[in-house]
Amino acid sequence: MSHFDYRDSELCCEQVSLRALATVVGTPAYVYSKAALLEGLAGYHRAFRDVPHVVCYSVKANSNLGVMSVLAKAGAGADIVSGGELYRALRAGISPKKIIFSGVGKSRDEMREALKAEILMFNVESRSELRVLDEVALEMGVRAPIALRVNPDVDPQTHPYIATGLKTSKFGIPHDEALAAYEDAAKMRGLEVVGADMHIGSQLTKATPVADAVARVVALVKALRERAIEIRMIDIGGGLGIRYRDETPPTHEEYATVLLPALREAGVTVLLEPGRSIAGNAGILLTRVLYRKDTGAKKFVVIDAAMNDLIRPSLYGAFHDILPVDEAGRARARETVDVVGPICESGDFLAKDRELAHVEQDDLLALMSAGAYGFAMASNYNTRPRAAEVLVDGNRYTIVRRRETYEDLVAGETPL
Ligand code: LLP
């Protein structure tokens, strides 16, 4: 069931009217459904219930403390990629024992912070990183629990910017070098080899490439055991896709059914790093139409949200459905328009050549499926304050991030 639906002719998030919210918090604003977030997380817990597992929510998708604390209370861990994300995860109440640190460029300071917090595991992405982590851990007199991120060289069949498991990508250690790298790691006194890790890409709409990659990682784990290197955890990464338009990604159950046989056989704790499939369809970007404009060659709808608020259409050519908040708007005549923001770039669009029911100045619109990689990728370009974020729970809401002020925007700067 969708948590964004029409009730009494108005689009609502759970039981809260988006029109009413716009009046209180203004636009643009991100609106999240708590029930949808919890449902996304519960889908994984249910599908993987037969094996020991930890769902390490990928913080980069949506790192709002309100969102993360809801997930933390429901048992989520975190997949982090920076010291900043570690800070947020701990502030949101996520247990360090459920935090894994991924990423291709961890600094020494970030390593120290994570070792101090005693996180579950570091996913190491190169042999040079292994050496540095070993040094840092020895300096601190501790051992860093590690997995190597293996690049399994499979084609995830997704947008090239978010495919990470191909040989040509910057991520991970090539599959055929992994064994030797593990043997090095096992000899380093500052490290403790505990896991194996992979992540092949994002917005995956087929489970088969993930299953192929898992098979490669499980084969590696067996080879390591023959060399007395015991792997207790396999991190299968994130990446499960969502429906933006007409995609048909696997359900949690379908995903688990394909992956579980090999993982069960390996006898490991399964770690997962989902982001988009938890937060993506749990959020929308609420915006108001500022102007209409017809240049003769094209019709434009100018809205108060822009590429600084939601960059996915500009950056990836991504599709986000657009719904009128007033249900009556759906019955109006259809027309083809570009939906654009106020930013001074032609690349600033939220939808291009989109067939929409006619919209009028001052109409409220919802840009759907914006809960993941929406606010998290927002910027202050054109000195635009970042939008407010609201979390809805039934018939109540909380402003989990207030709209930025002009003062926020210049804080930390020094005029000379
Ligand atoms: N783990 C690792 C190591 C990752 O790099 C990512 C995403 C995830 C987990 C979570 O993947 P998810 O479950 O969300 O697909 N900005 C892009 C997506 C970039 C994904 C980067 N890594 C977008 O808006 O589509």
Side-chain angles (χ1 to χ4, degrees):
M1 164 199 152
S2 168
H3 297 283
F4 295 91
D5 230 328
Y6 291 95
R7 289 170 170 252
D8 300 329
S9 308
E10 275 184 3
L11 192 60
C12 292
C13 174
E14 301 190 23
Q15 291 150 47
V16 174
S17 145
L18 293 177
R19 186 191 44 74
L21 269 186
T23 313
V24 186
V25 301
T27 54
Y30 276 94
V31 183
Y32 309 121
S33 153
K34 179 178 173 183
L37 288 166
L38 291 176
E39 225 172 77
L41 177 63
Y44 282 102
H45 283 147
R46 211 170 32 244
F48 286 86
R49 64 183 177 276
D50 288 345
V51 291
H53 69 273
V54 186
V55 182
C56 300
Y57 167 66
S58 194
V59 172
K60 64 174 82 65
N62 185 327
S63 56
N64 181 284
L65 287 184
V67 167
M68 287 173 65
S69 60
V70 161
L71 297 171
K73 287 201 181 85
D79 161 47
I80 60 163
V81 290
S82 68
E85 287 191 352
L86 172 64
Y87 179 78
R88 279 184 180 276
L90 296 173
R91 282 286 297 265
I94 293 178
S95 157
K97 282 290 152 231
K98 292 184 183 174
I99 295 180
I100 46 189
F101 194 170
S102 305
V104 74
K106 305 172 193 76
S107 71
R108 285 172 189 258
D109 279 344
E110 288 174 323
M111 290 172 176
R112 272 183 215 109
E113 290 159 19
L115 284 169
K116 195 159 156 247
E118 299 184 20
I119 63 164
L120 177 63
M121 183 165 92
F122 290 79
N123 289 335
V124 175
E125 299 224 11
S126 64
R127 290 172 110 161
S128 12
E129 187 191 334
L130 272 182
R131 285 190 290 274
V132 172
L133 183 57
D134 179 47
E135 265 175 45
V136 172
L138 287 174
E139 273 163 28
M140 293 176 65
V142 296
R143 291 185 86 184
I146 65 126
L148 289 184
R149 173 163 174 186
V150 181
N151 184 330
D153 191 23
V154 299
D155 181 0
Q157 301 167 33
T158 183
H159 190 287
Y161 285 13
I162 53 177
T164 50
L166 279 169
K167 210 155 47 187
T168 48
S169 118
K170 71 173 176 180
F171 295 101
I173 294 182
H175 180 245
D176 47 10
E177 287 175 31
L179 209 54
Y182 266 110
E183 284 178 329
D184 280 359
K187 289 185 205 121
M188 297 185 187
R189 284 180 307 111
L191 305 181
E192 184 191 2
V193 175
V194 294
D197 169 49
M198 55 168 258
H199 170 79
I200 62 168
S202 196
Q203 185 53 14
L204 310 176
T205 50
K206 295 194 182 74
T208 337
V210 189
D212 293 347
V214 165
R216 292 194 152 191
V217 172
V218 169
L220 172 70
V221 166
K222 286 182 186 158
L224 288 170
R225 283 183 181 152
E226 283 162 17
R227 289 164 176 74
I229 300 175
E230 195 50 45
I231 300 291
R232 305 196 300 265
M233 297 182 276
I234 293 184
D235 179 346
I236 63 170
L240 184 59
I242 62 168
R243 176 178 288 223
Y244 285 97
R245 185 182 206 163
D246 49 12
E247 302 89 336
T248 50
T251 61
H252 296 100
E253 279 70 25
E254 286 162 354
Y255 189 66
T257 305
V258 176
L259 305 181
L260 275 178
L263 291 168
R264 238 189 237 116
E265 193 196 323
V268 289
T269 295
V270 178
L271 307 180
L272 301 114
E273 304 174 350
R276 189 192 313 267
S277 51
I278 290 179
N281 275 326
I284 60 123
L285 175 56
L286 182 60
T287 175
R288 195 179 285 281
V289 177
L290 294 174
Y291 304 107
R292 289 193 52 106
K293 174 165 172 173
D294 191 340
T295 63
K298 236 175 178 177
K299 287 181 185 158
F300 293 95
V301 171
V302 185
I303 59 176
D304 64 4
M307 67 189 285
N308 75 297
D309 301 299
L310 179 64
I311 201 176
R312 304 193 68 259
S314 303
L315 189 58
Y316 314 112
F319 177 98
H320 287 264
D321 201 7
I322 300 179
L323 296 180
V325 168
D326 180 0
E327 193 172 18
R330 299 177 93 184
R332 297 194 197 136
R334 298 185 80 77
E335 58 180 349
T336 301
V337 295
D338 276 13
V339 179
V340 301
I343 282 184
C344 303
E345 295 219 19
S346 295
D348 178 27
F349 58 85
L350 287 307
K352 250 199 176 351
D353 297 319
R354 180 74 61 87
E355 196 193 297
L356 285 184
H358 182 85
V359 293
E360 291 287 349
Q361 194 166 328
D362 290 330
D363 279 358
L364 284 169
L365 301 175
L367 292 157
M368 306 304 290
S369 312
Y373 307 111
F375 188 93
M377 294 178 83
S379 76
N380 293 120
Y381 189 36
N382 280 204
T383 304
R384 287 168 52 85
R386 280 180 297 173
E389 293 177 284
V390 181
L391 183 71
V392 170
D393 178 9
N395 59 9
R396 289 172 307 146
Y397 68 87
T398 311
I399 298 172
V400 286
R401 192 180 212 271
R402 62 164 172 77
R403 185 178 307 285
E404 280 177 335
T405 62
Y406 294 150
E407 194 52 43
D408 291 333
L409 298 189
V410 295
E413 295 183 26
T414 310
L416 293 178

